[in-house]
Amino acid sequence: YLKIWSFLNGAKNYEDLPYLDYIDESNNSKVLKEKGSYSKHLYAVVRHLKPNITVELGVKAGITMKHILEAVKKNEKKTRVIGIDLPFDNPNVGDPYKSTLDDDFYKKNSEIWRMNTQSSITVNHFLNETNNKEIDILFIDADHSYKGAQIDYNLWSKYVRDGGFIFFDDVQQYSPRKVWKKAKGREKFLIKCNRSKDIQLLGVIIK
């Protein structure tokens, strides 16, 4: 069913993903417990690409960032790991540094900016902080409305380098899927992830 659905949405087969060799490494980790999660794909792509800069839009509990950071540790290469989420006065925001990211390595090798992902002010802040460097891996997991996901994509995808990866969370939902489907890329993939009793779909674009 997923192969048919992928074909109808212009996506390639799962087996063609270039980082699959690292999925088992994530599954066998004693630190990373979310075995069915989409987060293992972020771990695998970081191991594969060995990026200079990753940007995550929507951090919340920090589970995905933990996977990214574990891959960075394994790579033994300096990577700037940036997460952007709303200020603490928003009821949907948690503090990952008090829970998931309480390890010293995680704290020293990551940045969480309390800013609005949909603001050009935040984008300009990123450009100033990184000296206009390009993004290697972008993970879009903030506002899941069509308007919100589209704004995040439009604002940030232009700074992803050629050959870089863009991930969309929850494309089983209509709005994120619509943005992913319209987005342009050299290759596109649709990945099924099991999360407890739910089916979750991860959209991937190689720019």
Side-chain angles (χ1 to χ4, degrees):
Y1 170 77
L2 186 63
K3 285 191 175 182
I4 296 172
W5 207 92
S6 296
F7 174 77
L8 293 174
N9 284 273
K12 297 187 71 173
N13 291 332
Y14 177 85
E15 294 81 7
D16 294 324
L17 278 164
Y19 57 74
L20 289 181
D21 289 347
Y22 291 106
I23 291 290
D24 285 342
E25 186 175 287
S26 173
N27 286 336
N28 294 329
S29 169
K30 295 180 180 179
V31 178
L32 305 173
K33 305 299 183 184
E34 296 80 13
K35 303 303 182 189
S37 167
Y38 60 84
S39 297
K40 65 185 178 184
H41 288 272
L42 275 298
Y43 173 94
V45 76
V46 172
R47 289 285 284 124
H48 166 74
L49 210 58
K50 295 176 175 54
N52 294 310
I53 297 178
T54 71
V55 174
E56 180 179 356
L57 308 181
V59 179
K60 206 164 185 180
I63 292 172
T64 303
M65 184 172 277
K66 179 178 179 179
H67 282 71
I68 291 171
L69 287 163
E70 280 297 317
V72 167
K73 185 191 295 184
K74 199 86 170 177
N75 285 343
E76 297 183 342
K77 175 185 182 294
K78 180 64 178 175
T79 298
R80 194 157 183 187
V81 178
I82 299 170
I84 306 172
D85 213 333
L86 294 169
F88 285 120
D89 57 3
N90 187 287
N92 295 318
V93 170
D95 186 354
Y97 290 133
K98 291 183 179 178
S99 53
T100 313
L101 304 178
D102 58 349
D103 180 271
D104 284 343
F105 178 86
Y106 301 153
K107 292 177 181 178
K108 290 176 182 177
N109 291 278
S110 64
E111 308 166 44
I112 297 179
W113 301 349
R114 294 297 171 181
M115 304 179 78
N116 184 355
T117 63
Q118 298 174 25
S119 170
S120 58
I121 294 173
T122 307
V123 175
N124 289 333
H125 179 73
F126 166 79
L127 295 173
N128 290 332
E129 283 288 311
T130 61
N131 295 316
N132 297 308
K133 288 189 170 66
E134 291 182 301
I135 299 168
D136 297 290
I137 300 167
L138 173 66
F139 181 44
I140 299 175
D141 187 22
D143 187 343
H144 281 35
S145 70
Y146 174 70
K147 181 180 178 182
Q150 188 69 68
I151 291 173
D152 279 337
Y153 175 76
N154 289 345
L155 276 177
W156 293 93
S157 63
K158 66 184 76 172
Y159 301 108
V160 176
R161 68 169 176 84
D162 289 344
F165 283 71
I166 302 172
F167 289 81
F168 283 85
D169 187 27
D170 289 325
V171 295
Q172 75 278 2
Q173 298 178 21
Y174 173 76
S175 294
R177 183 172 70 249
K178 187 176 178 182
V179 178
W180 168 81
K181 188 175 179 179
K182 286 171 57 182
K184 304 295 183 185
R186 183 158 49 86
E187 295 179 281
K188 299 175 79 170
F189 298 87
L190 192 64
I191 300 167
K192 175 185 172 185
C193 306
N194 295 320
R195 181 177 57 183
S196 62
K197 296 180 180 179
D198 301 325
I199 298 297
Q200 184 179 30
L201 295 178
L202 184 68
V204 184
I205 297 172
I206 302 178
K207 190 173 176 183

